[in-house]
Amino acid sequence: MGDKHILGDLQHAIMRVLWAEGEATVARVQEALEDERDRALTTIATMLVKMEKKGIVAHRSEGRQFVYRPLVSETEVQRSMVGELTDMLFGGDVTALVSHLLTEQEIDDKELARLKALIAEHRSKERRRGR
């Protein structure tokens, strides 16, 4: 699966800003998160430095400010975190994960139809690959 990109809540919130905007300064990230999190500028800056050390963001200098950009995609993070969740809670059993979601979540007819279409699409792709 490649590198594991397991993010905490604040890290994930910061990444959502960077994915949406492409790149952002510490001040812009703080501003974007203001409604959901009351975090000091220094907290955001410290977290971005830690995230850069983990290899998930990088920065460039623009005057005296650092402008950060994501180095990993949202899809990569989702794949890694869902994989970790599946391993930890369901022993790697994807069927158990899906079964849990179907029985424990409210799923309306529209969502159920969408899930069926996704399964059909997946089966079709697998057939074309000869699996």
Side-chain angles (χ1 to χ4, degrees):
M1 169 171 50
D3 292 335
K4 289 202 180 234
H5 304 293
I6 309 302
L7 307 180
D9 288 343
L10 179 57
Q11 291 174 332
H12 193 253
I14 290 168
M15 289 302 287
R16 282 195 321 266
V17 173
L18 295 178
W19 290 321
E21 300 196 9
E23 61 179 20
T25 63
V26 174
R28 176 62 195 125
V29 171
Q30 182 196 33
E31 178 185 314
L33 296 178
E34 217 167 41
D35 289 344
E36 63 181 88
R37 298 169 186 278
D38 186 23
R39 301 289 179 153
L41 204 62
T42 54
T43 301
I44 302 293
T46 299
M47 187 57 70
L48 280 161
V49 168
K50 289 179 180 180
M51 293 166 71
E52 188 166 26
K53 286 179 182 171
K54 286 174 72 174
I56 58 177
V57 301
H59 79 273
R60 65 179 172 81
S61 295
E62 193 172 277
R64 294 180 57 195
Q65 292 187 327
F66 285 174
V67 181
Y68 288 89
R69 70 183 185 285
L71 294 179
V72 295
S73 70
E74 189 170 13
T75 301
E76 289 172 295
V77 170
Q78 288 171 338
R79 184 179 301 121
S80 185
M81 291 181 73
V82 169
E84 183 77 11
L85 176 80
T86 304
D87 289 346
M88 184 174 54
L89 297 180
F90 300 99
D93 185 347
V94 175
T95 304
L97 169 66
V98 173
S99 176
H100 173 79
L101 292 172
L102 289 171
T103 57
E104 298 298 324
Q105 303 293 317
E106 291 290 325
I107 299 176
D108 62 29
D109 289 341
K110 185 177 179 182
E111 290 172 316
L112 203 51
R114 186 168 170 236
L115 287 170
K116 288 177 182 179
L118 287 170
I119 291 169
E121 181 183 328
H122 181 76
R123 283 182 175 158
S124 177
K125 283 180 184 176
E126 291 297 308
R127 281 191 208 108
R128 286 194 299 269
R129 288 186 190 143
R131 290 185 181 169

